[in-house]
Amino acid sequence: MVKTRIVVYPTIFIHDSETDALTVIFPDVPSAISQAATLGKAMLNAQEVLGLMLYDVQDLPTASSLEQVQADYPHDQVQLTAVDLSTVAKDSHVPTNQIL
């Protein structure tokens, strides 16, 4: 039986009108930041960066409510991003005790 460790966090997609790029941020995981040229790529990047930042964290941050984040960022696209941290850990080639 495969053990899963699925987490879900609100994600903010901020559109930069000058570059037409999207910046991806997580209010509950400030170190998880990404950028992409399209929404599809930004969504994939969001899953990847969230997984990489949290796969070896024991005490996960509490997720804010989607409604609160949307209220805080009324002009940006806000949605939930889910990732299975157990899959990220298996796919990671960096030992959890190695500092880069």
Side-chain angles (χ1 to χ4, degrees):
M1 184 170 146
V2 176
K3 183 179 177 184
T4 60
R5 189 174 171 217
I6 298 172
V7 296
V8 180
Y9 285 92
T11 312
I12 305 159
F13 297 86
I14 302 169
H15 181 258
D16 182 338
S17 58
E18 288 184 25
T19 64
D20 207 30
L22 291 159
T23 298
V24 180
I25 61 172
F26 296 85
D28 304 308
V29 188
S31 57
I33 302 170
S34 186
Q35 199 170 43
T38 66
L39 180 58
K41 182 64 175 159
M43 293 170 73
L44 291 173
N45 287 357
Q47 285 183 314
E48 181 178 18
V49 72
L50 184 63
L52 290 173
M53 295 308 299
L54 296 179
Y55 78 93
D56 63 347
V57 173
Q58 295 303 312
D59 295 321
L60 295 169
T62 302
S64 300
S65 75
L66 186 65
E67 295 79 15
Q68 183 58 55
V69 175
Q70 186 63 73
D72 292 343
Y73 293 85
H75 303 293
D76 299 305
Q77 182 171 343
V78 177
Q79 65 187 48
L80 295 174
T81 296
V83 65
D84 182 352
L85 298 179
S86 59
T87 302
V88 175
K90 281 192 290 186
D91 294 342
S92 174
H93 299 293
V94 179
T96 57
N97 62 352
Q98 179 178 345
I99 298 174
L100 299 177

